[in-house]
């Protein structure tokens, strides 16, 4: 039996964590990331594109000189632990509470004010406020997007199932590993 390459192992990990499965109702903007739709109406993402976008996002994150200027956000419970672990292993910063404080990226008088170079969001629907604030401050946004998410103000899309803890954890684990390698 032939041994698998690193890429094949990673794609196998993504499939095992159900990263390729989207939600039934999908946004037209996400259509380019969908490989096909099953008979049940469930969209299946192009897993190669997910893998390539993880690598692209990791290169961008690793290119930031001070890793604390990368800000990882998740207001939903699904992604909280993954974001905290990602921040721990990459040295980036994260929001301490699950609730977003308005003005954290735009109002320098707030106590939570930050000026990150990049923000990473686990769910664009739940975290639309930080994405919108980032657009005001010209901060690039990397987002884990499911098939129903809107791509407004998002610069790099990692197409995946962001409704499952296993999927979000696998994406953030692979992202952290690639950042550490680079």
């Amino acid at each position: 039996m032939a041994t698998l390459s690193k890429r094949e192992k990673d794609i196998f990990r993504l499939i095992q964590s159900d990263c390729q499965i989207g939600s039934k109702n999908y946004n037209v903007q996400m259509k380019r990331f969908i490989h096909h739709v099953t008979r049940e109406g469930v969209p299946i993402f192009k897993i190669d594109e997910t893998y390539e976008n993880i690598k692209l996002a990791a290169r961008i994150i690793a290119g930031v000189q001070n890793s604390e200027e990368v800000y990882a956000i998740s207001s939903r419970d699904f992604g909280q632990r993954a974001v905290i672990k990602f921040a721990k292993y990459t040295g980036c910063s994260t929001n301490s509470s699950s609730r977003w404080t308005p003005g954290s990226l735009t109002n320098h008088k707030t106590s939570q004010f930050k000026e990150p170079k990049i923000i990473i969001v686990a769910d664009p629907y739940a975290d639309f406020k930080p994405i919108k604030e980032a657009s005001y401050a010209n901060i690039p946004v990397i987002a884990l997007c499911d098939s129903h998410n809107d791509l407004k103000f998002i610069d790099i899309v990692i197409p995946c199932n962001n409704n499952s803890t296993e999927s979000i954890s696998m994406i953030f684990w692979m992202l952290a590993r690639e950042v550490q390698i680079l």
Side-chain angles (χ1 to χ4, degrees):
M1 185 174 138
T3 59
L4 297 174
S5 67
K6 179 185 174 219
R7 178 185 174 85
E8 291 169 338
K9 286 179 185 175
D10 287 344
I11 288 175
F12 186 67
R13 285 183 181 122
L14 288 171
I15 292 171
Q16 275 187 322
S17 64
D18 291 335
C19 285
Q20 79 280 9
I21 298 172
S23 58
K24 281 192 176 184
N25 51 348
Y26 63 90
N27 192 334
V28 176
Q29 295 173 332
M30 288 296 291
K31 196 170 189 173
R32 66 180 181 200
F33 300 110
I34 296 172
H35 183 268
H36 70 278
V37 179
T38 63
R39 278 186 235 142
E40 293 82 25
V42 178
I44 306 296
F45 290 117
K46 297 174 186 172
I47 203 76
D48 288 334
E49 199 154 343
T50 300
Y51 182 72
E52 291 304 320
N53 286 5
I54 290 170
K55 305 238 335 146
L56 173 67
R59 276 181 268 163
I60 291 169
I61 294 166
V64 176
Q65 296 223 339
N66 184 3
S67 61
E68 290 180 6
E69 292 179 334
V70 177
Y71 196 45
I73 302 167
S74 176
S75 61
R76 289 179 53 204
D77 292 336
F78 285 114
Q80 280 286 326
R81 186 157 192 250
V83 164
I84 291 168
K85 291 284 188 180
F86 175 79
K88 177 183 174 187
Y89 289 108
T90 59
C92 74
S93 52
T94 183
N95 56 339
S96 57
S97 68
S98 61
R99 184 164 150 67
W100 177 256
T101 306
S104 294
L105 302 177
T106 55
N107 185 358
H108 63 85
K109 291 183 180 179
T110 61
S111 60
Q112 288 89 6
F113 179 70
K114 290 194 176 274
E115 286 186 289
K117 299 276 192 230
I118 299 171
I119 66 168
I120 306 166
V121 176
D123 183 12
Y125 180 75
D127 298 315
F128 186 72
K129 288 178 184 175
I131 292 172
K132 194 169 184 180
E133 278 191 37
S135 75
Y136 294 152
N138 289 331
I139 300 169
V141 177
I142 299 170
L144 280 62
C145 294
D146 203 342
S147 57
H148 67 275
N149 288 125
D150 186 19
L151 301 184
K152 191 173 185 182
F153 305 128
I154 296 174
D155 299 303
I156 297 174
V157 175
I158 300 176
C160 67
N161 177 5
N162 66 8
N163 295 320
S164 132
T165 306
E166 293 83 14
S167 175
I168 294 171
S169 300
M170 182 57 67
I171 297 290
F172 273 108
W173 177 80
M174 288 180 82
L175 198 57
R177 187 190 67 184
E178 290 298 319
V179 169
Q180 286 180 339
I181 288 171
L182 294 171

